[in-house]
């Protein structure tokens, strides 16, 4: 059966049932559960240190009212981080390469930050649509532009994450296919492409972590504007 490069992004099925939900829940099983003992193992200590570091970085620009979102944002960060990294393993499915999945994460959280601002400080939230000192003839155009930029924020979040991960997976598949094809013909060139593939894999690991951080960081910045 001939497969295209984009078949890796299609959701796998087993007995007619999609396994996308299972692939999203599986990373949770890899995280060690918290223990009540005073002395934990190295993995639990590393997990606690990482959670503390992520929470500190995300909550630093927020005031005390925004600290209520610490659990949601930290959990989302760990979820995206584990899913993105596990998606780099061979023969695995990455749910975050699906625009529908990323939009399902971005839109409710963006809407929650927007509604929080409209409920707590409606004047300040609506004031973001019109910069101070705007000339009178430009007021209608600027309001339309700012409203459009506000409404496309969740779309930008989802598309950014989807595009970066999809491009990385496609590059890895293209270079790995070229490496295998060149091995019997030009072994020296094949070794060079193998080195490029290893460097690209390291780059994609960094991209997977950075994109997860950027996704949650932008949500925290949207929350900062509305609290």
């Amino acid at each position: 059966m001939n497969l295209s490069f984009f078949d890796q992004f299609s959701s796998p099925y087993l007995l007619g049932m999609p396994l996308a939900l299972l692939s999203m829940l599986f990373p949770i099983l890899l995280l060690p559960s918290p223990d009540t003992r005073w002395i934990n193992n190295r993995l639990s200590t590393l997990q606690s240190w990482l959670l503390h570091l992520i929470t500190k970085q995300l909550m630093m620009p927020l005031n005390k009212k925004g600290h209520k979102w610490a659990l949601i944002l930290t959990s989302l960060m760990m979820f995206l981080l584990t899913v993105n990294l596990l998606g780099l393993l061979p023969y695995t499915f990455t749910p975050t390469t699906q625009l529908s999945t990323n939009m399902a994460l971005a839109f409710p959280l963006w809407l929650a930050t927007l509604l929080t601002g409209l409920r707590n400080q409606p004047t300040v939230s609506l004031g973001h649509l019109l910069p101070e000192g705007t000339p009178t003839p430009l007021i209608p155009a600027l309001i339309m532009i700012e409203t459009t930029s506000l409404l496309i924020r969740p779309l930008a979040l989802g598309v950014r994450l989807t595009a970066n991960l999809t491009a990385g997976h496609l590059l890895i598949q293209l270079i790995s296919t070229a490496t295998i094809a060149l091995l019997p013909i030009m072994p020296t060139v094949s070794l060079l492409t193998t080195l490029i593939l290893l460097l690209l894999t390291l780059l994609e690991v960094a991209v997977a972590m950075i994109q997860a951080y950027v996704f949650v960081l932008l949500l925290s910045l949207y929350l900062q504007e509305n609290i």
Side-chain angles (χ1 to χ4, degrees):
M1 182 176 61
N2 295 327
L3 298 177
S4 66
F5 288 125
F6 291 94
D7 285 335
Q8 61 175 319
F9 304 115
S10 60
S11 177
Y13 284 83
L14 179 63
L15 300 178
M17 295 182 296
L19 300 180
L21 181 60
L22 181 62
S23 63
M24 295 175 65
L25 295 178
F26 180 73
I28 303 176
L29 303 177
L30 301 179
L31 299 176
S33 58
D35 201 348
T36 56
R37 294 179 298 180
W38 286 6
I39 301 177
N40 295 321
N41 54 25
R42 292 182 178 87
L43 186 59
S44 299
T45 304
L46 179 62
Q47 180 195 13
S48 301
W49 173 81
L50 183 61
L51 288 174
H52 176 73
L53 179 63
I54 292 173
T55 306
K56 181 180 178 180
Q57 292 295 326
L58 294 178
M59 295 295 108
M60 189 178 299
L62 300 178
N63 55 22
K64 291 185 178 180
K65 293 182 179 179
H67 292 177
K68 299 177 182 179
W69 291 66
L71 180 60
I72 297 176
L73 296 179
T74 306
S75 301
L76 179 62
M77 176 70 184
M78 293 300 298
F79 170 75
L80 292 176
L81 189 61
T82 52
V83 168
N84 292 350
L85 292 177
L86 288 176
L88 294 173
L89 297 175
Y91 303 104
T92 55
F93 172 71
T94 312
T96 46
T97 57
Q98 306 294 314
L99 182 60
S100 57
T101 302
N102 296 332
M103 289 299 297
L105 294 173
F107 183 77
L109 292 173
W110 166 82
L111 185 61
T113 60
L114 182 62
L115 294 179
T116 300
L118 292 176
R119 183 189 66 178
N120 296 334
Q121 45 182 14
T123 305
V124 177
S125 298
L126 294 177
H128 292 155
L129 301 178
L130 184 63
E132 187 177 356
T134 304
T136 304
L138 297 179
I139 289 179
L142 278 180
I143 291 178
M144 294 179 61
I145 293 173
E146 292 296 330
T147 304
T148 304
S149 65
L150 178 65
L151 295 178
I152 65 173
R153 280 181 175 181
L155 182 62
L157 284 175
V159 171
R160 181 187 297 108
L161 183 58
T162 303
N164 282 281
L165 296 181
T166 303
H169 287 119
L170 283 176
L171 279 176
I172 289 177
Q173 186 171 1
L174 286 171
I175 296 179
S176 60
T177 303
T179 302
I180 297 174
L182 292 173
L183 184 59
I185 305 173
M186 292 179 287
T188 306
V189 180
S190 179
L191 290 176
L192 180 60
T193 55
T194 303
L195 178 60
I196 296 175
L197 181 61
L198 291 176
L199 295 177
L200 181 62
T201 303
L202 294 177
L203 177 63
E204 286 305 313
V205 170
V207 168
M209 294 187 291
I210 291 173
Q211 288 304 316
Y213 176 71
V214 168
F215 188 93
V216 183
L217 179 63
L218 288 176
L219 281 175
S220 66
L221 293 179
Y222 298 158
L223 177 63
Q224 182 186 5
E225 292 180 358
N226 292 283
I227 59 174

